[in-house]
Amino acid sequence: MAFDPASSELRRRRFRPIPVRLLVPNVITLLAICAGLTAIRLSTEGRMELAVGAIVFAAALDAIDGRIARLIKGQSKFGAELDSLADFVNFGVAPGLILYFWQLHELKNGGWIAAMVFAISGGLRLARFNATMDDPNKPAFAANYFTGLPAPAGAITVLLPIYLAFLGLPMPPAMLTALYTLLIAFLMVSRLPVFSGKTMRMRVAPELVLPVFVSVIFFIALLIGYPWHILSVGSVLFLLSLPMGWKSYRDHAKKAAVTSATVPADSAATSPAPSYPPVTGSNAQPEDERPERLH
C-alpha cells in the first residue's frame, strides 16, 4: 500500500496535544452539570435544601467559567456549546423539576405543564442568545444588556417561593406558585432588556483592594450563614430592578436615534461645495475679467 503523506499529516493534526488552558473552563462547566443533575436527584429524595444549594453552586460555577476562560485565553467553540447545554440542564430542567417535586405536583397535569414550560423557556432563551450573539445590526450600547431574563438569574429567581418557605413563612398556594413560575418563564423569553454590566471596566483603586476583599468575604459568609435570607432579598431586589434596566435601555435608544438623525445633517453642512464645469460659448468671460474668487 502506497504511503500517503497527506493522510499521515491529517492524523497527526487530529491527535495533536490540547493545551491545559482549554480544558480548565470545560472542567468547571462539567462540575456545574454535575451539580445540576445532583440537584434533580436530591429533589426526588425530598432533600430540598440541598437541592436548592446545588443550583446556587451551579450558578456560581457558571459565573466564573466564562471569566476564567477569557482570563487564561481558553475560549473554544466546544466550550461555548457545552456551556449552553449546561445552562439548559442546570437552570431550565433542574429548577422546574425541583418546583414540581416541591409543590407543583399537587396540581397534577397543571403543575407539570408549568414546570415544563419553564424548562422549555430556558432552552429557547439560550438558543436565542446563541443565535443573536454576533448580530451585526445590534447597536453598540445593546452589548451592555441581556435580551430577556438570563437563565441563571431566572433559575435563582423562580425558586423564591422555596426560599420564603425555608424562612418559616406559610407555603403559598400551588396555583400561585405555578403562576409565578410561568411569569418568570415569560420574562426569560421576552424582549425585556436586562442590564448585564459586561462592558463595564472592573478596575479597583489600589487603596480599595483590601476593602473589596473584605466585602467579598463578608458577603460569602452571609450567604453561607443566612442563605435563604440573602437569596430572598436578592431575588426581590433583582425583580424590582427590571423596570430600571428597561428605562435605561430606552434612554440609550433615544439618544442613539437623536445622534443618528443629527449626523447626516452635520455632514451635509460641512460637505464641500460642488464644482461646476467651466462656462463655454458666448457667456464665457475672458480669464482676466473673471472675479477674483474664481482664480
Side-chain angles (χ1 to χ4, degrees):
M1 187 174 180
F3 174 73
D4 187 1
S7 177
S8 177
E9 177 65 23
L10 180 61
R11 284 196 298 270
R12 286 199 301 268
R13 190 181 307 166
R14 183 181 302 170
F15 296 106
R16 68 180 186 271
I18 299 176
V20 176
R21 59 184 173 82
L22 296 179
L23 299 178
V24 173
N26 296 330
V27 170
I28 297 176
T29 304
L30 290 175
L31 289 176
I33 295 178
C34 293
L37 294 175
T38 304
I40 296 176
R41 176 194 171 182
L42 293 172
S43 65
T44 60
E45 297 174 354
R47 296 187 284 178
M48 292 300 171
E49 293 191 3
L50 293 177
V52 174
I55 294 296
V56 176
F57 180 65
L61 292 177
D62 180 75
I64 65 174
D65 62 353
R67 289 170 173 79
I68 291 178
R70 289 188 293 270
L71 182 64
I72 65 177
K73 296 182 180 180
Q75 304 100 315
S76 63
K77 184 175 177 58
F78 175 83
E81 297 297 332
L82 181 64
D83 186 70
S84 295
L85 294 175
D87 288 351
F88 175 64
V89 173
N90 299 335
F91 310 127
V93 177
L97 291 178
I98 289 175
L99 286 168
Y100 178 77
F101 290 123
W102 179 66
Q103 189 185 41
L104 293 182
H105 66 275
E106 299 176 4
L107 300 177
K108 298 183 179 180
N109 289 337
W112 175 247
I113 290 174
M116 187 169 52
V117 167
F118 177 82
I120 293 175
S121 299
L124 293 175
R125 195 251 177 249
L126 292 168
R128 181 180 63 188
F129 174 79
N130 293 337
T132 60
M133 186 166 48
D134 298 326
D135 185 7
N137 299 323
K138 184 185 297 184
F141 67 88
N144 210 28
Y145 296 87
F146 292 116
T147 301
L149 209 63
I156 297 297
T157 307
V158 78
L159 299 175
L160 177 61
I162 301 181
Y163 308 152
L164 298 177
F166 289 162
L167 291 176
L169 298 178
M171 184 178 295
M175 181 59 67
L176 183 60
T177 303
L179 293 176
Y180 177 74
T181 303
L182 294 176
L183 173 63
I184 300 299
F186 171 75
L187 292 177
M188 292 173 66
V189 299
S190 67
R191 304 291 299 179
L192 178 70
V194 180
F195 185 74
S196 66
K198 284 187 174 182
T199 60
M200 294 180 61
R201 291 196 170 188
M202 305 298 291
R203 293 185 179 272
V204 180
E207 63 272 10
L208 296 179
V209 171
L210 293 181
V212 168
F213 283 158
V214 174
S215 301
V216 171
I217 294 174
F218 180 70
F219 175 78
I220 295 175
L222 284 178
L223 185 60
I224 295 175
Y226 304 94
W228 314 128
H229 297 80
I230 299 299
L231 291 173
S232 299
V233 173
S235 299
V236 172
L237 292 179
F238 177 75
L239 291 176
L240 293 178
S241 68
L242 293 180
M244 299 174 59
W246 174 75
K247 183 180 182 303
S248 175
Y249 184 90
R250 288 195 60 185
D251 294 340
H252 281 90
K254 290 180 180 178
K255 187 182 299 184
V258 171
T259 303
S260 62
T262 55
V263 166
D266 295 341
S267 60
T270 57
S271 60
S275 59
Y276 297 98
V279 181
T280 59
S282 59
N283 295 331
Q285 296 178 352
E287 186 175 353
D288 56 349
E289 295 181 2
R290 285 183 295 178
E292 187 68 25
R293 62 183 177 85
L294 294 182
H295 284 285

